Amino acid sequence: MMAKAQTLEECQKAAENNYPQIRQYDLISKTTDLTIANIQKGWLPQISATAQATLQSDVTSWPEQMQTVYQQMGLDMKGLKKDQYRVGVDINQPVYDGGTIRIQKEIARQQGAVQQAQTAVSLYQIRQRVNEMYFALLLLNEQITLNNDLQELLSANEKKLSSMYKRGTASQSDYQAVKAERLNVVQQGTNLQSQKRTLQMMLGMFCGIEMKEPVKPAVVDAGTTGIRPELSLIDAQLSLADSQEKMLDAALRPRFSVFASGFYGYPGYNMFEDMMSRSWSLNGMIGARLTWNIGALYTRKNDKAKIQLQRDMAENSRDIFLFNNRLEQTQQHEEIDRYRQLMAGDEEIIALRSSVRKAAESKLAHGIIDVNDLVKEINSENAARVQLSVHEIEMLKEIYSLKYTVNN
């Protein structure tokens, strides 16, 4: 059964949990673990099996003079056959790899951290999308409330004019004009209700919840600046660059390993015996190997320069983000102050419009003005109340957009 949520914070949390990309956290974590497990297997013995058959144009053989001597001694030195065969196994056990496996695991972890940070950036942007829909829904609620108030006000004046018409102190057209205006406002209310249901359904689907009535959030201070996911992503990219540079150092270190090799075939290691018997034999070898490949020196300078360029690009992205973020905060602070000033004026305007409307109702009752003047004043008062509601919701929206901007 779908849960009920009304507050902005509940909607934001529900939207993050409902968004399909949230599953990437677990997928990235599992992929990183598998990658590290595979890298760790680099310490296991490397085993390879081979089977080989060759036909050579020439082979090692005895000089004719020696063959003649051996024949005189009763020995048949046939020499090696040109067709040779080998089935064997080679085993290599790394002992020291210059830190390559350790750094490869570190790089895999950092790559996973970068992917996690990229996912966090995408999920953080969901908050702003929820804000847009949530405050649009709040504004519709305010407009619906004011529409209902306007309907009641027009209905009350309609009843007064109906009584006046029956007493002969008002014309039928005056009564009909107010009734027509009320019906027009009813239609506007129907349209607002339809818009609300549509937006409520969209927000509910986005959050994966049954969206009920939204709760107007409190006017709060945006607070101190937190760490935005975009900055965490840049930090992860810089850490990855550091690990990649360590790999350049590891590539210059020597490698040490022990090995074993064995095969069954012809010829074997005892060439003299094989030249006489030409039979298959078992052969084996164990040893230690030290290798030092200095080829990495050829590209080291360029490779380090490329990594430094990655760092410079990441730092430039940080500067761009912080610059735009500061501009956005300044603009939002200004907008909040502007709406506060407008709201202070709205309160005074509403009080004046309300007083004028009440006076118009009294004048109409005494036949001093016609009904159109009254309707005009009623609409002017309602417009002033709508304006206050719009300014209040827009100010709240800017406040919570500022909280999004500073990640508070």
Side-chain angles (χ1 to χ4, degrees):
M1 182 177 178
M2 290 188 293
K4 173 183 175 182
Q6 294 180 328
T7 67
L8 177 60
E9 290 75 13
E10 288 172 335
C11 285
Q12 288 174 343
K13 186 65 177 177
E16 287 183 7
N17 293 333
N18 183 59
Y19 201 63
Q21 199 170 15
I22 191 70
R23 293 193 292 272
Q24 286 194 9
Y25 278 120
D26 187 50
L27 296 174
I28 291 171
S29 178
K30 289 181 178 178
T31 301
T32 301
D33 290 342
L34 290 174
T35 301
I36 292 174
N38 285 340
I39 293 172
Q40 182 64 29
K41 288 180 171 57
W43 286 114
L44 296 177
Q46 306 300 306
I47 302 174
S48 61
T50 59
Q52 172 180 307
T54 61
L55 179 62
Q56 300 179 198
S57 61
D58 204 357
V59 292
T60 304
S61 61
W62 297 102
E64 292 184 4
Q65 295 86 345
M66 293 190 68
Q67 289 185 17
T68 301
V69 172
Y70 283 131
Q71 288 174 357
Q72 291 174 355
M73 295 172 61
L75 298 175
D76 184 12
M77 290 295 185
K78 301 176 182 179
L80 295 178
K81 296 170 64 177
K82 292 184 178 181
D83 55 318
Q84 300 183 1
Y85 309 91
R86 173 180 294 201
V87 178
V89 175
D90 295 314
I91 302 174
N92 187 74
Q93 174 61 59
V95 176
Y96 174 71
D97 70 341
T100 300
I101 291 177
R102 175 180 58 81
I103 299 172
Q104 282 178 338
K105 292 193 293 184
E106 183 179 323
I107 289 176
R109 292 190 187 96
Q110 294 298 339
Q111 288 173 335
V114 169
Q115 292 176 330
Q116 296 275 25
Q118 289 171 334
T119 302
V121 170
S122 299
L123 290 175
Y124 187 74
Q125 293 169 352
I126 292 174
R127 289 177 55 179
Q128 189 69 340
R129 295 172 66 181
V130 171
N131 283 357
E132 294 288 339
M133 288 188 283
Y134 194 88
F135 284 105
L137 190 57
L138 280 175
L139 183 56
L140 280 173
N141 265 4
E142 291 291 322
Q143 291 175 327
I144 288 171
T145 300
L146 292 173
N147 180 273
N148 291 333
D149 293 342
L150 181 57
Q151 287 183 43
E152 291 179 6
L153 183 58
L154 288 169
S155 180
N157 280 280
E158 182 184 342
K159 291 177 181 178
K160 290 178 183 178
L161 284 168
S162 176
S163 299
M164 292 171 65
Y165 168 64
K166 292 176 181 178
R167 295 196 306 268
T169 57
S171 67
Q172 184 179 12
S173 61
D174 289 342
Y175 164 72
Q176 290 174 338
V178 174
K179 182 176 182 180
E181 185 64 25
R182 181 182 63 80
L183 293 175
N184 181 54
V185 172
V186 170
Q187 286 185 331
Q188 292 175 7
T190 302
N191 185 45
L192 289 171
Q193 288 287 358
S194 176
Q195 292 179 41
K196 176 185 175 181
R197 285 193 298 271
T198 301
L199 187 55
Q200 219 168 9
M201 181 179 64
M202 290 175 58
L203 183 56
M205 291 176 62
F206 191 77
C207 298
I209 58 177
E210 183 182 357
M211 188 64 201
K212 298 295 184 181
E213 291 300 315
V215 177
K216 186 187 296 185
V219 177
V220 296
D221 183 8
T224 56
T225 302
I227 299 177
R228 281 282 295 265
E230 292 86 347
L231 297 177
S232 297
L233 172 59
I234 292 170
D235 290 337
Q237 291 170 337
L238 291 172
S239 296
L240 175 59
D242 292 340
S243 298
Q244 290 171 334
E245 190 167 29
K246 291 179 184 177
M247 182 58 73
L248 296 181
D249 296 332
L252 290 176
R253 299 189 186 113
R255 269 72 170 157
F256 181 74
S257 62
V258 294
F259 65 90
S261 177
F263 72 91
Y264 178 67
Y266 172 85
Y269 292 143
N270 191 336
M271 301 288 287
F272 292 106
E273 181 70 25
D274 292 334
M275 292 172 73
M276 295 177 61
S277 65
R278 294 186 173 181
S279 59
W280 287 39
S281 63
L282 286 170
N283 301 269
M285 178 190 300
I286 60 172
R289 181 181 294 115
L290 178 67
T291 59
W292 198 341
N293 183 3
I294 62 172
L297 282 172
Y298 305 149
T299 60
R300 178 178 174 82
K301 182 178 179 181
N302 289 341
D303 289 338
K304 291 196 71 170
K306 286 170 60 178
I307 292 174
Q308 186 57 46
L309 286 174
Q310 292 178 22
R311 289 196 185 97
D312 293 342
M313 291 176 64
E315 291 293 352
N316 182 250
S317 296
R318 187 200 302 276
D319 293 339
I320 292 172
F321 175 81
L322 291 175
F323 179 81
N324 290 333
N325 191 266
R326 284 193 294 269
L327 285 180
E328 194 171 3
Q329 288 185 47
T330 300
Q331 182 181 2
Q332 288 166 341
H333 279 297
E334 289 297 322
E335 287 293 299
I336 292 169
D337 290 340
R338 182 172 71 88
Y339 284 125
R340 283 199 172 104
Q341 293 175 17
L342 290 173
M343 288 170 61
D346 288 336
E347 296 285 355
E348 186 176 358
I349 292 171
I350 289 172
L352 293 172
R353 289 294 183 188
S354 178
S355 178
V356 171
R357 185 261 307 167
K358 291 175 182 177
E361 289 176 338
S362 178
K363 289 178 181 179
L364 179 66
H366 293 85
I368 300 175
I369 62 172
D370 61 23
V371 73
N372 291 327
D373 292 329
L374 174 62
V375 170
K376 178 183 176 181
E377 297 304 334
I378 290 175
N379 286 333
S380 295
E381 181 188 359
N382 181 69
R385 294 185 184 278
V386 170
Q387 193 80 317
L388 173 62
S389 295
V390 170
H391 290 159
E392 182 184 10
I393 298 301
E394 288 294 334
M395 185 191 71
L396 285 172
K397 180 182 174 183
E398 286 296 333
I399 289 173
Y400 282 85
S401 292
L402 180 59
K403 285 174 64 67
Y404 169 85
T405 302
V406 301
N407 190 21
N408 185 344

